[in-house]
Amino acid sequence: MSVTSTTAVTDERVRQTSPFVTLLRRPEVGAAVAALAIFAFFSVTTQAFLTPAGISTWLYSSSLFGIMAVAVAMLMIGGEFDLSAGAMTGTTGLIVGVVTTQWGLNIWLALVLALVIALSIGAGNAFMVMKTGLPSFIVTLATFFILQGLNLAVTKLITGTVAIQGMSEVPGFTQVKTFFGSSFPFLGMDLKVSVVWWIIVVAVASWILLRTKAGNWIFAVGGQVTSARQAGVPVMKTKMGLFMTTAGAGWIVGMLQLFDVSTVQATTGIGQEFIYIICAVVGGCLLTGGYGSAFGAALGALIYGMTLQGIVFAQWDNNWLKAFLGGMLLLAVLVNLSVRRQAGVRT
C-alpha cells in the first residue's frame, strides 16, 4: 500500500473532480474570503488602516503570528498540538539575553545555543508523546508550565528582575539586528524584516507539504496514523520533525521580537499559543489532523493581525478582540465542517 493511497481520504490533492468542488476542498478558501471581508471593512471604517504606516503595522503583527501559525498548522496536520509554542518564543529570547548581557557570551554563539535548546525541547516533546502514548495536549501543557516557571524564576534569580535590558549594548547587536530587527522601504511603507521571514516560512512549508515525500508523510500520520505506519511511513521521525519545526519557529519569532525592541520580558509569548491554533483552524486545519495548508494558516494570521490593529485604528474597546477570536474560531470550525461535507471529503 502506498502512502498516497492511505491519505486519499484526507489529502485534497488526490481525487479528480469538478473545479468548483476542488476549490471548496482547498483549506484556505474560507480564510481568504474572511480576510478580504475584514480588509474591506476596516479600509472603509478607519482612516489609518490603508495608510503606509497602517499597512506596515498590521503586516508586522501578522508576520509574527503567521510564522508560528504555519509551524503549528503543520503540526496539527500531523495530528498533534504544541501548547508550549508561545512560551518558547519568550524562552529563546531570554536565553540570548541572559547569556550575552550577564555572562558576555558571543551574540552569534548565543543565537545558536538558543536554537539548539529550542530544538531539543521540541524533540523531547515528540519523544515523550510517541514513547508514552500520552496526548500531545497534556505533554506540551506540562512543557508550557515548566518553561513559564523557568522563564520567571531563572531570569529573576540571575538579573533580579523579570526582564532583560541592555541588549543594544551587546557587541554584534547591530549586525544581528540586520537579520532580525531591521526594516526596509517598500512601496512607501517601512516594512519589518519579519515580513520577509514570514514569506519564506510560508513558501518553504507549502513546498514541503505539497511537493515532497515528507509532506505526504505529514498528511498520512495526521489522517490515519496506523495505516501510515503499516505503509512504511516513519511516524516517529515525522512527528519529531514537526515538533522541532514548531520549536524552531518559536526561536525565529523570539529573535525577531528581541532584536526589534532590544528587550524581552519573562512573560513574553505566554497565552499566544491559543492564538496560533486559532489562526491555523481559521486557515482550514482540522483539529482531528490530516487536513490543512500553510497558506491557510498564514491567512488566518493575517486576519488576526488586521483585526488586532483595525480595532485600535477604529478606537474600539480592545476587549472586543477576545470576543472576535472566540466567534472566529467557532465559525471557522463550522464552516470547515460544512464545506468538507458538501465537497464529499471524509473527516
Side-chain angles (χ1 to χ4, degrees):
M1 183 184 298
S2 66
V3 172
T4 301
S5 64
T6 65
T7 61
V9 296
T10 55
D11 188 345
E12 75 279 4
R13 301 170 293 177
V14 179
R15 290 180 58 185
Q16 298 294 323
T17 185
S18 69
F20 178 71
V21 173
T22 300
L23 179 63
L24 282 181
R25 287 180 181 174
R26 293 301 310 169
E28 60 272 8
V29 170
V33 173
L36 288 173
I38 290 173
F39 176 83
F41 176 77
F42 284 116
S43 297
V44 172
T45 58
T46 68
Q47 295 181 345
F49 191 79
L50 276 184
T51 63
I55 296 174
S56 300
T57 301
W58 51 259
L59 279 179
Y60 174 64
S61 296
S62 300
S63 65
L64 296 180
F65 289 107
I67 291 169
M68 288 304 304
V70 169
V72 168
M74 293 181 70
L75 182 62
M76 289 177 63
I77 294 171
E80 305 292 350
F81 294 91
D82 188 352
L83 295 185
S84 66
M88 185 65 72
T89 64
T91 298
T92 53
L94 288 169
I95 291 171
V96 172
V98 167
V99 299
T100 54
T101 62
Q102 303 298 313
W103 300 337
L105 185 66
N106 177 274
I107 194 167
W108 293 102
L109 290 178
L111 262 66
V112 174
L113 175 64
L115 177 59
V116 170
I117 292 175
L119 295 178
S120 298
I121 294 173
N125 283 336
F127 183 83
M128 184 70 68
V129 169
M130 297 304 296
K131 289 299 182 181
T132 65
L134 291 171
S136 55
F137 181 93
I138 298 299
V139 172
T140 58
L141 181 61
T143 304
F144 162 78
F145 281 114
I146 292 171
L147 292 179
Q148 183 182 21
L150 289 175
N151 289 352
L152 288 165
V154 175
T155 303
K156 190 172 184 179
L157 178 66
I158 295 176
T159 68
T161 67
V162 291
I164 300 298
Q165 306 286 346
M167 277 300 302
S168 58
E169 301 174 3
V170 173
F173 176 85
T174 303
Q175 289 77 12
V176 179
K177 185 178 176 67
T178 301
F179 296 98
F180 293 105
S182 62
S183 58
F184 59 95
F186 180 76
L187 299 178
M189 298 177 288
D190 188 32
L191 290 182
K192 295 286 189 179
V193 72
S194 61
V195 177
V196 177
W197 279 96
W198 185 26
I199 294 172
I200 293 173
V201 168
V202 174
V204 172
S206 297
W207 174 74
I208 291 173
L209 288 174
L210 300 174
R211 294 288 183 268
T212 68
K213 183 183 293 186
N216 280 333
W217 292 347
I218 293 170
F219 280 101
V221 299
Q224 298 179 353
V225 64
T226 301
S227 298
R229 184 178 284 111
Q230 292 172 348
V233 173
V235 176
M236 179 68 168
K237 178 180 177 181
T238 301
K239 296 211 173 190
M240 182 166 289
L242 290 172
F243 275 103
M244 292 176 70
T245 296
T246 305
W251 174 83
I252 293 175
V253 173
M255 298 307 100
L256 290 171
Q257 292 177 321
L258 174 63
F259 289 96
D260 178 52
V261 298
S262 306
T263 186
V264 59
Q265 302 285 333
T267 56
T268 295
I270 301 300
Q272 293 184 345
E273 53 280 337
F274 293 108
I275 296 176
Y276 306 146
I277 294 174
I278 290 173
C279 290
V281 173
V282 169
C285 288
L286 292 180
L287 296 173
T288 52
Y291 187 81
S293 76
F295 186 63
L299 285 174
L302 181 62
I303 290 171
Y304 180 78
M306 289 192 296
T307 304
L308 176 65
Q309 298 303 322
I311 287 176
V312 174
F313 294 151
Q315 297 183 340
W316 294 351
D317 185 341
N318 195 52
N319 290 319
W320 285 108
L321 179 63
K322 300 299 183 183
F324 172 81
L325 279 177
M328 188 170 64
L329 175 61
L330 180 59
L331 181 61
V333 171
L334 293 175
V335 168
N336 289 344
L337 178 62
S338 176
V339 168
R340 283 172 58 81
R341 283 177 175 174
Q342 292 179 26
V345 181
R346 205 177 90 193
T347 57

